[in-house]
Amino acid sequence: MSHEVLNPTPEYLAFWRERHVCTLTTPRPDGSPHVVPVGVTYDPEAGLARVISNKNSKKIRNVLAAQGRADAPDGPRAAVCQMEGRRWATLEGRAVIRTDEASVAEAVRRYAERYGRMPSPNPDRVVMEITLDRAMGRA
C-alpha cells in the first residue's frame, strides 16, 4: 500500500514513532544491496528519514562512494524498513551524508525522542539523510 511521504496517515506516522529496530539498505560499489540493522527517525514535515552512524561505517562509506556519481547526482537510492507482525513500513529516497554539527545534533535529538535514550557521545558521528520520494506499508 502506498502512502504520501509528506502527509502520512496517522496510523503510518504512529508506527514510525514506535520503538522498532529497522533495516537500512544501501548500494555497495558493485551495485549489490548492503542491509544492516539501524535506528531510524521519520520527519514527514521535512520529507526526511535520518540514520545516525559512525563516519567509518560501511553504510556511510557506501553512500559517500556513490554521492556525485553521474548515475546518482543527488545521492544513491536507499531504503529503510521496519516490521512488527503484519504491520510493516518502508521509506525510500536519495541518501546524502551530513557532517555539520546542526544536522547531527538534530538527528541525535530525534533518535533520543524515538528510542527513549540519548546515544553515547561519538566525535565521529555523522547523519545519513534520506530525501524521501516513496512510502509504502501496512500500519
Side-chain angles (χ1 to χ4, degrees):
M1 172 183 223
S2 182
H3 292 269
E4 292 183 39
V5 169
L6 301 176
N7 190 24
T9 65
E11 297 81 14
Y12 192 79
L13 184 56
F15 187 44
W16 276 106
R17 289 186 172 149
E18 294 172 10
R19 188 181 193 284
H20 295 284
V21 173
C22 304
T23 60
L24 166 71
T25 304
T26 57
R28 291 184 182 104
D30 68 4
S32 64
H34 176 72
V35 183
V36 293
V38 294
V40 176
T41 61
Y42 174 30
D43 179 358
E45 291 82 17
L48 295 174
R50 294 178 179 92
V51 176
I52 57 175
S53 183
N54 187 294
K55 69 181 181 182
N56 297 311
S57 71
K58 179 65 174 160
K59 59 187 162 284
I60 300 301
R61 291 193 324 263
N62 285 342
V63 171
L64 289 172
Q67 270 184 222
R69 282 192 336 223
D71 63 336
D74 299 322
R77 296 219 35 100
V80 290
C81 183
Q82 65 181 20
M83 60 155 305
E84 180 183 55
R86 298 187 69 176
R87 298 185 307 158
W88 64 276
T90 300
L91 300 168
E92 297 179 20
R94 298 280 178 184
V96 296
I97 305 306
R98 305 268 186 232
T99 59
D100 64 280
E101 190 174 313
S103 295
V104 173
E106 178 65 7
V108 167
R109 182 190 72 76
R110 288 175 178 275
Y111 178 95
E113 184 178 281
R114 181 176 187 196
Y115 290 97
R117 69 173 190 84
M118 184 62 72
S120 56
N122 179 353
D124 292 330
R125 180 171 288 130
V126 297
V127 59
M128 181 184 302
E129 288 185 351
I130 304 170
T131 301
L132 304 170
D133 58 25
R134 184 177 295 156
M136 302 172 290
R138 181 184 313 159

